Amino acid sequence: MKIVVTVKLVPDAGAVKRIDPATKRLVRTGVEMALNPFDEYAIEAALQLKERLGTDTTVTIFTMAPESSKETLRKALAMGADDAMMLSDPALEGSDVAVTAYAMAQALKKIGFDLILSGALSDDGNTGGVPGALAEYLGVPGLTNVRKIEEIDDGRIKVQRETDTGYQVVSGPLPALVTVTMAVGEPRYASLKGIMGAKKKTIGALSVTEAAIDRPVGSDGAKTEVVAITAPKAREKARVIEAADGQSGAQAIFDFLRERKLV
C-alpha cells in the first residue's frame, strides 16, 4: 500500500510574522519554516498504519512549497517516512484554496497513492478547505475528523469519525483521503538513527509542467482576492471593581453588562 501524507510548511511558531502591504500575503522569505503541527498527527497515523500493515507499505510525504524549504521535510523523513515529493514552481505563488487543491491533485495523480492522510487545519491559513477540495478534484471519498483508523482490508477502509457527541464508524472504498484529529496519537520524536537516515532519503520535485497542470495557477488562477487588511483593535484594559459585599458586586456586574447592551 502506498500512503501519501500531505503536509504544509508554515512559519515557525517563534518566527516574527508580517504581511506584505503590497501583496497582502504573509511574508515567507527569510522566515524559518516548520512542519504544520496538525500534519504531524497525520504523519504519525501513517507510520502507525505502516507498522500494522507490514513492509509492503510505504509512506511518502508530499507538499506544495518552494524548493528552498526542502530541508524542512527532513523532520518528517526522520520520523520514519520513506521519501518525499514537492510540487514546486514560482508560478504557484499566490494560489488560493481552490487553485492549491487542484494543483496538488494533479501532482498526486502523477505520484500515485492508495491512501492520502492529512491534518484537518493549517497553522497559518486555518481555512480547513484544502483537504475537501483535494478529495473532490481527485474523485475519491473524503473521510474527515478521523480519530482512529480501525481497519484496511479488501480494498476498503473503516474509521472512527469524531462528532460533537461521540464518534461514528464509517467506511469507504480505497483510494481515499482521510483527515485526522489529534486523537490519533501524539507524534513520535525522531530518533538519532532516524535523523541520520533522513539525510540519505530522497526528496523529489515536480514543476507545474511536469505535474501536467493545465489551468492558470498562482494569483492568475485564484478565485479569491484579499482587498484589505486591518489590524485588530487593541483590547481595553481590564476594569477592576471593588465591592463591599456580594450584592453590590453583583449589581456592578449587571450595570457593566447593561451598559454594553448584553442584558
Side-chain angles (χ1 to χ4, degrees), residues 147-163:
R147 74 174 197 172
K148 182 180 181 181
I149 299 175
E150 287 192 352
E151 184 180 89
I152 293 181
D153 187 46
D154 197 25
R156 294 186 67 83
I157 181 171
K158 183 165 73 172
V159 303
Q160 293 180 8
R161 182 178 181 276
E162 282 188 7
T163 69

Side-chain angles (χ1 to χ4, degrees), residues 41-192:
Y41 289 88
I43 297 170
E44 176 61 30
L47 297 175
Q48 290 177 16
L49 270 180
K50 180 179 178 179
E51 292 164 355
R52 282 165 49 189
L53 298 176
T55 55
D56 289 339
T57 299
T58 60
V59 175
T60 296
I61 306 299
F62 173 77
T63 190
M64 186 175 109
E67 279 199 70
S68 58
S69 304
K70 180 170 69 174
E71 292 307 308
T72 307
L73 294 177
R74 296 287 176 194
K75 179 180 179 180
L77 298 179
M79 289 171 68
D82 296 286
D83 55 20
M85 179 64 72
M86 304 180 73
L87 174 59
S88 185
D89 197 305
L92 294 164
E93 187 176 347
S95 296
D96 62 3
V97 167
V99 174
T100 295
Y102 173 75
M104 289 174 62
Q106 298 307 105
L108 286 164
K109 289 175 184 177
K110 286 283 185 181
I111 296 168
F113 61 90
D114 297 302
L115 176 65
I116 297 174
L117 296 179
S118 173
L121 296 169
S122 64
D123 199 36
D124 52 358
N126 232 346
T127 66
V130 170
L134 186 56
E136 179 70 18
Y137 282 126
L138 289 169
V140 301
L143 285 67
T144 58
N145 294 336
V146 170
R147 74 174 197 172
K148 182 180 181 181
I149 299 175
E150 287 192 352
E151 184 180 89
I152 293 181
D153 187 46
D154 197 25
R156 294 186 67 83
I157 181 171
K158 183 165 73 172
V159 303
Q160 293 180 8
R161 182 178 181 276
E162 282 188 7
T163 69
D164 291 337
T165 56
Y167 69 90
Q168 302 169 332
V169 177
V170 298
S171 65
L174 294 173
L177 182 146
V178 171
T179 66
V180 302
T181 69
M182 291 185 286
V184 296
E186 195 68 22
R188 65 193 66 188
Y189 288 102
S191 65
L192 179 59

